[in-house]
Amino acid sequence: MEGLLLDNDFAEEEDKPYVRLFLKRDGETIAALDPNFETYLYVVADHPNRVLKMVGKVEVHGLRPKSVELVNRTFLGKKVEAIKVAFNRPSDMPDLRHAIRDLPGVKEMYEFDIPPARRYLIDRCLTPMSGISIKGKTIDQDGMKIVVLDEPPVPAKVPEQELKIMSFDIEVYNPAGSPRPDKDPIIMVSLADNRGLKKVITWKDFKTGQDFVEVVKDEKELLERFVEMVKERDADILMGYNTDLFDFPYIRERARRLKVKLKLGRDGSEVLARKKRFATASRIRGRVHIDVYTMVNFLATIGHIRLIHYNLEEVYKYMLGKDKPDFEFTEFVDAWERGGERARDLLEYSLSDAQATLEIGLELLPLFFELTHIVRQSPFDVSRMTPGQLVEWLLISEAHNVGELVPARPVGEEFEERLDETYVGAYVMEPVKGLHEDLVVFDYRSLYPSIIVTHNIDPSTLNCDCCKPSQVVTVPEFGYKFCTNRRGLIPSTLEKIIQERVRLKGEMKKYKPGSREYRQLDAQQWALKITANSFYGMLGYPRARWYFKQCAESVTSFGRHYIKNTINMAKDFGFDVVYSDTDSLFTKLNGKGRDSAMRFLKQVNDSLPGIIELELEGFYQRGVFITKKRYAMIDDEDRIVVKGLEFVRRDWAAIAKKTQEAVLKAVLRDGSPKEAAEIVRKTTKDIVGGRVSLEDLIIYTQLTMAIENYRAIGPHVVAAKKLRAKGVEIEPGMIIAYIEAKGTGSISERAVPVEDFKGVEYDPDYYVENQVLPAVMRIMEVLGYKDEDLRYEKAKQVKLAEFVDDSKI
DNA sequence: CTTACACGGGG
DNA sequence: GGGTACGTGTAAG
């Protein structure tokens, strides 16, 4: 039997452990159970034979190793004789491992920290989201085939399988600002899927006549109906936006209180909370829960999406180019209580959330499925990995295939020591501050990967004893040398990734952009690019298994060498370099025409070794450069890219956010700092003149602990105390909305809760000096303005005319 | 200056 | 599977 491998997990039933594989075939789901899998670790010891005998006799609470054997492996390229210790079940490992560690002669232990389901995929060479072939006894159970395997599964080609992809979203009653899962009910669940489903389930009948609305009796029934719908639509993939952090934890708590069993699993199991660092990822057996936000966030951290905010609305607008209806969360309660037109809007909004999540998810899934193929771990795990983890799991798999032992994750002292090790990073040029027009941006195509491959950078090749000094390239500034005879695990794995990408790029030329084949190949090459670009980061990440400081610093050293050379070449060519960061170069064309950029590119590339190559990133009409890492540019399509200015958050008043946004637009779209300055002056004038609506002055800050526990009494704490004094119940998690009032004393003392603000005067000074000006000054000061030029003060405006001649810009 | 606390996504 | 988020900003003290 063959099918697409969707997911795998590890489970134990009546003390019998097994690995389970979920397969899809022609719309049918198959669960394949494999009781035959290995759980093991490696021991490296001074006298392997003597230690082997001792390990074989270890016993803890009646548990003993299943088997011990001597095997030949390598560690960081060097041959080692290792003791492979196998266990009867994964749960036997922790106690026995500690007992083995304490045996005399034991030097190191490896691969004890690889979870069974992942170990299984690696050892069996299976790739999720690909075909596999299985053999075994079949039992039918509730529409799902269960196969008990009597042979190991093997990779196989299967025709493309259509997956049922569903998204959902919840709306929650939130009278306290932040919803409290112990009190506030879920009022709506919206659903959408790739087969046309559009539904909102709610438990108040607003009689809006919207055909997608289904009314149930109460919240309990709403949750039951949600579970029923997921089963009915038979979702293979269940998506949401920020569901790991919000929706699932909330649903779980409500379900617990209402005594609803969240049996979303294909085997009838409940949603599992898998602890993952600070968050909890929810796992559904047999279905893949994908949090679209984690995918978006991943792309944001690697710089493939750059937005000011990564909320659903903005991400949807950026990725799909469409607007979705907005609904302020502060208005939920009112809409729910009063019904009518607002309830109608809320239902519409709820559906649009599920729909937008579905559309974004459908855009991103192909990429993450390709990452799954590369890394060879489940899409559930891969969609939640950091770039460093992607590389790590790929290397673990590659290491296994070549008999290389996997370094353990660093813990305790080893990790702490790494934190103290620092090394010089990339070269970042101090920008030529101010507004620049007619820009061309160049960047090195995968600079760090190219360096790693070209110079064979790997812990096993560092300062080898087999090469003559004259044969090897020396790392600039350090004098390290890397072997030229044998390939290291890291460069050889990376080289395969890069070569495959080159092949796919060639393949893509055979197809029309936009065609199915083209898009598939594009996702593949993109996933390879992301993976390749993550190798360097991993080398320098203290938590990584393959962390090697000398390798990481060699990469950056070579990087600085290449980019500085390029800057000098650009200057010689006649371009003004306004900024450079790591592998990129921002230059002014100086009226030379865009074709000159191509000539420069060729000149540089002719001078570069190996696979290191400079590329043209794009042309920009205008850009404002503020400091290192802080700039904004606008391209030919009027798209604004902003870097490093993202400090507009909810604990800033709306007036500050709005003014900053308007200033950037004026500067970039219209090229007019004068107009921007006018916007700021008008705003400060409005603030001083009391013409700003209170709405725009509210600052929202969350109470993160009980009010008594605060040692630092910030404004929101004072405002919360004032609320409590008049009988409002105050608890952690509440968002306190306050306004700064005019008067004497610290900012904290003058914080007044919004609901008490009637008849009070706000503090114009605070809003000008601590809100609006800080938000816009970073931009304005590089354009030649001083803060006194931007405050509303008639005398200063006259002075401004002398100080800045904006007419020239 | 150091220390404390909050931001993000979600509602 | 996991003892542990993270990088960065403001205000209080």
Side-chain angles (χ1 to χ4, degrees):
Chain A
M1 201 185 289
E2 289 173 350
L4 181 84
L5 177 58
L6 200 63
D7 194 12
N8 79 317
D9 59 15
F10 159 72
E12 232 164 329
E13 238 167 65
E14 290 158 15
D15 215 28
K16 289 212 174 88
Y18 57 87
V19 166
R20 178 168 45 182
L21 308 168
F22 286 99
L23 273 65
K24 282 300 287 187
R25 194 195 54 182
D26 304 333
E28 192 182 28
T29 310
I30 304 150
L33 314 184
D34 193 344
N36 298 309
F37 65 97
E38 276 195 297
T39 301
Y40 57 92
L41 54 77
Y42 294 101
V43 176
V44 172
D46 280 328
H47 303 285
N49 280 307
R50 201 189 308 161
V51 174
L52 178 114
K53 287 198 188 98
M54 287 192 284
V55 172
K57 287 180 195 144
V58 163
E59 190 178 330
V60 182
H61 310 313
L63 300 174
R64 308 199 40 184
K66 184 184 178 190
S67 65
V68 287
E69 61 171 321
L70 271 188
V71 292
N72 289 314
R73 295 288 186 269
T74 57
F75 184 65
L76 302 182
K78 287 198 173 64
K79 285 184 180 165
V80 287
E81 214 175 357
I83 305 160
K84 183 175 175 180
V85 188
F87 302 91
N88 290 306
R89 55 182 72 75
S91 53
D92 291 358
M93 178 127 72
D95 283 344
L96 288 170
R97 166 164 86 85
H98 290 122
I100 294 166
R101 182 193 57 196
D102 296 336
L103 292 174
V106 170
K107 284 205 306 198
E108 296 289 345
M109 295 171 74
Y110 298 103
E111 306 200 12
F112 50 83
D113 51 2
I114 296 173
R118 293 191 183 191
R119 171 95 269 170
Y120 185 87
L121 295 174
I122 293 165
D123 290 4
R124 296 274 191 244
C125 299
L126 300 179
T127 305
M129 301 316 288
S130 300
I132 65 166
S133 174
I134 55 169
K135 270 188 193 151
K137 281 179 279 300
T138 305
I139 318 156
D140 263 304
Q141 194 183 301
D142 303 331
M144 184 166 71
K145 273 202 172 74
I146 298 188
V147 180
V148 180
L149 299 182
D150 39 43
E151 264 180 44
V154 288
K157 271 219 154 139
V158 292
E160 195 170 323
Q161 301 291 313
E162 259 186 47
L163 295 177
K164 293 165 187 156
I165 303 172
M166 185 180 204
S167 69
F168 78 102
D169 180 47
I170 64 170
E171 311 305 333
V172 176
Y173 192 67
N174 57 354
S178 232
R180 303 154 298 185
D182 56 325
K183 293 194 183 71
D184 300 327
I186 296 168
I187 54 178
M188 291 172 192
V189 173
S190 53
L191 303 163
D193 73 15
N194 62 343
R195 293 177 301 151
L197 173 74
K198 289 180 169 61
K199 184 184 277 292
V200 180
I201 312 165
T202 186
W203 49 273
K204 237 187 192 185
D205 194 353
F206 295 107
K207 300 196 165 53
T208 58
Q210 289 153 301
D211 57 1
F212 56 82
V213 176
E214 180 183 323
V215 182
V216 293
K217 193 176 86 212
D218 52 21
E219 189 192 9
K220 185 166 195 263
E221 222 167 71
L222 176 134
L223 289 174
E224 287 162 351
R225 184 70 183 127
F226 167 56
V227 174
E228 208 173 277
M229 281 302 296
V230 173
K231 277 193 208 157
E232 194 180 304
R233 301 296 290 187
D234 193 28
D236 297 311
I237 295 181
L238 186 62
M239 306 190 295
Y241 203 81
N242 204 24
T243 35
D244 271 350
L245 266 81
F246 183 74
D247 300 62
F248 267 123
Y250 207 97
I251 292 176
R252 229 192 335 266
E253 179 60 16
R254 295 306 298 166
R256 192 178 70 81
R257 287 177 177 269
L258 297 167
K259 302 195 174 18
V260 177
K261 293 256 184 243
L262 283 177
K263 291 184 178 172
L264 287 169
R266 269 190 158 129
D267 57 352
S269 62
E270 291 185 70
V271 182
L272 303 165
R274 200 194 70 163
K275 280 193 112 185
K276 205 202 156 237
R277 291 204 223 114
F278 76 109
T280 302
S282 290
R283 190 157 200 159
I284 305 167
R285 298 207 140 140
R287 305 184 206 279
V288 184
H289 166 221
I290 299 273
D291 185 341
V292 174
Y293 173 67
T294 63
M295 298 196 290
V296 168
N297 205 27
F298 175 90
L299 292 173
T301 47
I302 61 172
H304 281 251
I305 306 179
R306 266 174 210 163
L307 299 172
I308 295 176
H309 292 292
Y310 295 92
N311 56 31
L312 185 55
E313 188 187 353
E314 309 247 339
V315 170
Y316 185 62
K317 174 130 185 86
Y318 175 81
M319 293 203 35
L320 280 301
K322 292 188 278 187
D323 287 310
K324 65 179 288 303
D326 191 20
F327 201 103
E328 289 293 323
F329 67 81
T330 46
E331 292 170 34
F332 275 45
V333 170
D334 189 55
W336 179 253
E337 295 296 353
R338 292 199 301 160
E341 201 54 36
R342 290 307 276 155
R344 187 192 176 83
D345 292 346
L346 180 55
L347 288 158
E348 189 82 44
Y349 162 80
S350 182
L351 180 64
S352 78
D353 274 4
Q355 184 62 31
T357 302
L358 178 70
E359 288 178 48
I360 298 167
L362 291 173
E363 287 286 312
L364 296 180
L365 280 178
L367 170 67
F368 282 82
F369 288 163
E370 293 310 331
L371 285 169
T372 296
H373 288 155
I374 296 166
V375 173
R376 299 167 218 149
Q377 291 296 337
S378 71
F380 177 89
D381 287 336
V382 166
S383 69
R384 288 169 176 79
M385 282 180 187
T386 62
Q389 287 168 323
L390 292 178
V391 174
E392 201 166 275
W393 285 97
L394 164 60
L395 284 175
I396 291 171
S397 186
E398 288 287 305
H400 172 82
N401 293 344
V402 298
E404 169 86 13
L405 296 176
V406 175
R409 290 188 316 130
V411 287
E413 259 178 57
E414 194 186 3
F415 172 67
E416 297 294 327
E417 277 168 27
R418 289 182 182 188
L419 285 180
D420 297 334
E421 293 184 337
T422 54
Y423 64 94
V424 186
Y427 172 68
V428 187
M429 183 185 128
E430 189 62 46
V432 179
K433 293 183 168 69
L435 195 59
H436 301 289
E437 306 229 340
D438 203 13
L439 298 159
V440 55
V441 178
F442 300 100
D443 56 19
Y444 273 95
R445 188 186 60 183
S446 310
L447 177 63
Y448 287 176
S450 309
I451 289 171
I452 293 170
V453 168
T454 302
H455 301 299
N456 198 24
I457 291 172
D458 188 277
S460 71
T461 58
L462 174 65
N463 296 332
C464 68
D465 45 20
C466 68
C467 296
K468 285 181 190 159
S470 60
Q471 292 176 315
V472 294
V473 178
T474 304
V475 179
E477 305 160 28
F478 291 102
Y480 304 145
K481 292 175 172 50
F482 288 94
C483 186
T484 54
N485 290 324
R486 52 189 158 77
R487 221 74 181 105
L489 178 73
I490 290 169
S492 68
T493 304
L494 181 51
E495 190 169 30
K496 278 192 270 181
I497 297 278
I498 292 172
Q499 279 170 355
E500 176 64 1
R501 180 157 182 254
V502 170
R503 191 187 70 77
L504 291 170
K505 285 263 197 176
E507 188 81 1
M508 277 171 78
K509 289 182 185 139
K510 296 182 194 159
Y511 300 96
K512 277 204 190 91
S515 67
R516 212 178 57 88
E517 292 85 353
Y518 187 94
R519 295 211 323 254
Q520 167 86 18
L521 290 164
D522 195 37
Q524 287 177 4
Q525 70 81 19
W526 190 13
L528 289 164
K529 179 182 181 171
I530 289 169
T531 309
N533 284 340
S534 305
F535 274 70
Y536 156 72
M538 191 217 58
L539 279 174
Y541 179 53
R543 289 190 190 278
R545 294 169 189 263
W546 277 275
Y547 163 89
F548 287 94
K549 184 203 160 194
Q550 287 167 313
C551 295
E553 75 185 346
S554 299
V555 175
T556 58
S557 176
F558 275 119
R560 292 191 297 275
H561 165 79
Y562 289 117
I563 197 73
K564 283 181 183 172
N565 273 356
T566 315
I567 290 171
N568 289 332
M569 288 176 79
K571 285 179 186 163
D572 292 343
F573 193 84
F575 289 152
D576 283 347
V577 180
V578 293
Y579 183 53
S580 166
D581 183 351
T582 314
D583 57 356
S584 60
L585 198 63
F586 300 66
T587 69
K588 282 209 274 195
L589 279 170
N590 286 347
K592 287 180 73 155
R594 290 186 172 184
D595 55 322
S596 67
M598 305 311 289
R599 289 202 307 278
F600 174 68
L601 199 63
K602 186 170 185 325
Q603 190 193 325
V604 174
N605 282 327
D606 286 346
S607 76
L608 292 168
I611 59 168
I612 298 169
E613 192 184 336
L614 189 70
E615 286 186 326
L616 183 82
E617 198 268 335
F619 295 100
Y620 294 85
Q621 308 171 42
R622 200 171 280 127
V624 58
F625 292 81
I626 294 156
T627 57
K628 286 179 179 180
K629 311 272 185 197
R630 285 187 217 279
Y631 61 88
M633 298 192 297
I634 189 162
D635 68 9
D636 290 346
E637 277 83 49
D638 262 14
R639 280 187 301 225
I640 293 177
V641 283
V642 186
K643 269 284 279 180
L645 290 162
E646 306 88 341
F647 67 117
V648 276
R649 322 184 306 185
R650 77 159 165 232
D651 55 350
W652 283 77
I655 190 79
K657 302 178 204 175
K658 285 181 182 170
T659 314
Q660 189 193 50
E661 216 171 272
V663 159
L664 261 187
K665 266 189 194 161
V667 169
L668 293 174
R669 206 157 279 174
D670 309 323
S672 174
K674 189 177 170 179
E675 189 187 319
E678 208 41 62
I679 290 166
V680 182
R681 267 182 231 122
K682 184 179 177 301
T683 306
T684 58
K685 185 175 174 183
D686 287 346
I687 292 172
V688 172
R691 283 185 301 279
V692 178
S693 86
L694 287 186
E695 283 279 284
D696 284 347
L697 300 175
I698 303 171
I699 298 163
Y700 298 91
T701 312
Q702 188 172 36
L703 281 176
T704 54
M705 53 181 136
I707 204 163
E708 302 77 29
N709 297 345
Y710 277 91
R711 277 167 291 170
I713 312 297
H716 66 304
V717 181
V718 173
K721 281 183 175 169
K722 288 177 185 171
L723 283 173
R724 192 173 59 176
K726 45 171 233 176
V728 181
E729 203 185 326
I730 300 293
E731 48 201 323
M734 273 180 84
I735 292 178
I736 306 299
Y738 64 91
I739 294 175
E740 285 293 333
K742 206 171 192 168
T744 52
S746 69
I747 286 171
S748 295
E749 287 162 27
R750 288 184 284 117
V752 179
V754 170
E755 49 185 288
D756 293 349
F757 205 78
K758 290 176 200 88
V760 184
E761 251 187 286
Y762 68 79
D763 179 1
D765 256 20
Y766 174 80
Y767 285 98
V768 171
E769 302 298 329
N770 297 57
Q771 293 281 327
V772 172
L773 287 181
V776 301
M777 268 325 289
R778 287 187 190 164
I779 302 161
M780 296 309 292
E781 71 189 350
V782 302
L783 300 173
Y785 290 86
K786 292 204 175 355
D787 53 357
E788 63 254 35
D789 306 327
L790 299 172
R791 289 193 190 91
Y792 169 65
E793 285 175 77
K794 277 175 190 157
K796 292 283 163 58
Q797 281 185 52
V798 178
K799 195 181 156 203
L800 171 76
E802 302 157 17
F803 185 73
V804 188
D805 183 3
D806 346 55
S807 63
K808 277 191 195 153
I809 305 171

